[in-house]
């Protein structure tokens, strides 16, 4: 590593209510698909680290589950991941949706982060969906809170995140890198595989199925010319099993083929994926089941 006394390194949590574009923001800053994205709320269920490295800085972004009032154990865990991320941060990015801001969840989360004595930035996202007057009103509303800066943008349409990265860096401490500078995430390949399969399910099915689903990779074998993976798709009820399989198995085939393609893009090798469907009634409400499925 080159000695650089101006090197900055710090942790940045990205928080907001569900579906505002937290994961999209992190992926676009990193130019990598680290977190899964979907048009449905509550896509992210863990704290997902994404690490930006260059000669001047290492920024460890913490993408978090969307803020909500937990109604069952899984959502309690999701809130816990969000709260833990806040504790570990040097800077908090609060992001919201220009069309819907301010909702009750926005206000509750603003209250929660107001108690944390850390620098905060606000991002009013999805301005491609509102007119200029609305954007300006909402910027002024955000300026009522304790933010170092309030920015408005469309994460989807922004090409150059350089200025945002510079703004973020200014609030990070002068520290040497915390992680190896080749690292982009600290999560294992099995985790990414689980998320890729879950993302397919979020894209293919409506309402209930994505929320009742979790995926666990049971085996991951790297062979000379291919990678062979076996994963269980866990559901809550027998009736959901038929939906996931689809007529003549067409749905499960689609999940498998799309996932194989995505995993192949990630690992650059042929991928053979075996999927098994299992039922654990009400797993989302059971602490032990959650632990078993990796929500620790
Ligand atoms: N129109 C528009 N849509 C956006 C923008 N940014 C993100 N989206 C869309 O918003 C949806 C949700 O994006 P995510 O990144 O999954 O949102 P999230 O905040 O991580 O959601 P959770 O993980 O569920 O909390 C996706 O369909 C994105 O494509 C934007 O700037 N403009
Ligand atoms: Mg997300």
């Amino acid at each position: 590593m080159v000695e650089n006394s101006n090197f900055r390194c710090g942790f940045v949590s990205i928080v907001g209510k569900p579906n505002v574009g937290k994961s999209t923001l992190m992926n676009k800053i990193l130019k990598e698909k680290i977190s899964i994205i979907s048009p449905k709320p509550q896509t992210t269920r863990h704290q997902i680290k994404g690490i930006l490295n260059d000669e001047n800085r290492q920024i460890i972004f913490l993408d978090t589950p969307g803020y909500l009032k937990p109604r069952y154990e899984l959502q309690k865990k999701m809130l816990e991941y969000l709260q833990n991320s806040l504790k570990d941060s040097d800077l908090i990015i609060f992001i919201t949706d220009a069309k819907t801001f301010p909702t009750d969840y926005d206000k509750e989360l603003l209250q929660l982060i107001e108690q944390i004595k850390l620098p905060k930035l606000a991002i009013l996202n999805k301005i491609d969906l509102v007119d200029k007057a609305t954007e300006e009103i909402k910027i002024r509303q955000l300026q009522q809170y304790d933010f170092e800066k309030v920015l408005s943008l469309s994460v989807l349409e922004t090409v150059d995140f350089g200025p945002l990265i510079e703004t973020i860096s200014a609030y990070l401490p002068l520290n040497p890198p915390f992680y190896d500078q080749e690292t982009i995430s600290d999560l294992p390949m099995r985790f990414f595989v689980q998320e890729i399969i879950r993302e397919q399910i979020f894209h293919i099915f409506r309402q209930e199925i994505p929320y009742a689903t979790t995926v666990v990779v049971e085996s991951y074998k790297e062979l000379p010319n291919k990678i062979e993976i076996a994963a269980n798709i866990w559901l809550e009820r027998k009736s959901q099993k038929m939906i996931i399989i689809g007529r003549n198995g067409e749905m499960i085939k689609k999940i498998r083929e799309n996932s194989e393609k995505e995993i192949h893009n990630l690992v650059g090798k042929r991928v053979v994926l075996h999927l098994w469907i299992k039922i654990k009634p009400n797993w989302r409400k059971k602490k032990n089941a959650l632990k078993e499925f990796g929500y620790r």
Side-chain angles (χ1 to χ4, degrees):
M1 196 190 88
V2 187
E3 278 301 322
N4 179 350
S5 57
N6 294 320
F7 197 93
R8 289 181 189 268
C9 173
F11 289 77
V12 179
S13 324
I14 305 174
V15 302
K17 69 185 172 192
N19 211 39
V20 294
K22 298 177 292 298
S23 301
T24 310
L25 174 69
M26 184 170 87
N27 288 353
K28 286 206 66 174
I29 290 178
L30 295 174
K31 299 194 186 105
E32 291 278 350
K33 185 169 165 194
I34 305 271
S35 276
I36 59 167
I37 290 166
S38 91
K40 296 188 181 69
Q42 302 179 53
T43 305
T44 307
R45 288 185 187 158
H46 285 86
Q47 179 209 80
I48 317 252
K49 279 197 193 83
I51 308 172
L52 178 92
N53 292 293
D54 67 30
E55 62 275 24
N56 297 317
R57 74 207 111 219
Q58 178 172 77
I59 309 178
I60 302 120
F61 289 98
L62 309 174
D63 179 20
T64 63
Y67 174 82
L68 42 69
K69 270 239 145 39
R71 285 181 293 121
Y72 45 81
E73 289 301 321
L74 172 62
Q75 292 180 332
K76 278 189 203 157
K77 271 278 157 212
M78 287 160 60
L79 181 60
E80 206 179 299
Y81 298 142
L82 163 57
Q83 287 166 329
N84 289 343
S85 304
L86 290 171
K87 272 187 229 150
D88 289 340
S89 301
D90 297 291
L91 172 74
I92 297 171
I93 296 181
F94 170 86
I95 167 165
T96 189
D97 180 328
K99 208 163 165 188
T100 59
F101 181 79
T103 63
D104 288 347
Y105 282 159
D106 282 310
K107 289 182 197 157
E108 281 174 35
L109 181 56
L110 283 165
Q111 259 176 14
L112 194 145
I113 62 172
E114 207 154 39
Q115 292 155 26
I116 303 171
K117 296 288 158 245
L118 284 176
K120 291 161 211 130
L121 300 177
I123 294 181
L124 184 69
N125 186 28
K126 307 199 189 182
I127 57 162
D128 53 294
L129 302 179
V130 298
D131 57 33
K132 200 74 195 159
T134 311
E135 179 189 340
E136 277 162 13
I137 293 168
K138 306 218 171 171
I139 290 174
R140 280 200 292 280
Q141 285 173 311
L142 279 165
Q143 282 167 341
Q144 313 285 311
Y145 294 88
D146 172 32
F147 288 113
E148 306 288 334
K149 280 198 169 110
V150 174
L151 310 165
S152 67
L153 70 151
S154 162
V155 170
L156 224 48
E157 288 176 355
T158 301
V159 179
D160 180 13
F161 281 89
L164 178 61
I165 293 168
E166 289 300 334
T167 306
I168 293 169
S169 301
Y171 298 100
L172 301 184
L174 289 164
N175 267 336
F178 192 82
Y179 290 94
D180 182 285
Q181 283 170 290
E182 303 298 311
T183 311
I184 178 138
S185 183
D186 65 342
L187 293 160
M189 195 49 82
R190 280 167 179 257
F191 179 80
F192 288 112
V193 169
Q194 288 167 189
E195 291 288 273
I196 286 169
I197 300 167
R198 211 163 59 75
E199 185 178 45
Q200 287 304 324
I201 295 167
F202 260 77
H203 281 282
I204 294 171
F205 299 97
R206 285 159 202 264
Q207 289 311 321
E208 167 204 346
I209 298 285
Y211 301 101
T213 303
T214 197
V215 178
V216 180
V217 167
E218 293 296 324
S219 78
Y220 185 100
K221 284 188 214 133
E222 189 148 7
L223 305 167
N225 59 346
K226 64 177 176 186
I227 292 179
E228 201 158 341
I229 304 167
N232 289 337
I233 297 177
W234 287 93
L235 299 166
E236 291 198 317
R237 285 186 279 117
K238 270 206 182 120
S239 56
Q240 295 163 341
K241 188 170 174 172
M242 298 317 294
I243 301 172
I244 282 263
I245 292 173
R247 210 184 325 132
N248 302 323
E250 63 187 2
M251 291 316 229
I252 190 77
K253 182 167 176 238
K254 193 167 166 191
I255 298 169
R256 181 171 53 74
E257 287 177 350
N258 291 355
S259 303
E260 280 177 343
K261 251 182 242 153
E262 281 262 341
I263 303 164
H264 169 81
N265 290 342
L266 193 66
V267 298
K269 258 190 183 180
R270 193 159 77 84
V271 174
V272 179
L273 179 61
H274 304 279
L275 294 175
W276 307 97
I277 298 168
K278 309 243 170 178
I279 316 279
K280 170 101 67 187
N282 293 320
W283 66 263
R284 275 182 285 179
K285 301 196 172 83
K286 293 177 178 161
K287 280 190 182 157
N288 282 341
L290 288 171
K291 221 184 256 169
E292 187 189 323
F293 294 157
Y295 300 95
R296 298 212 165 84

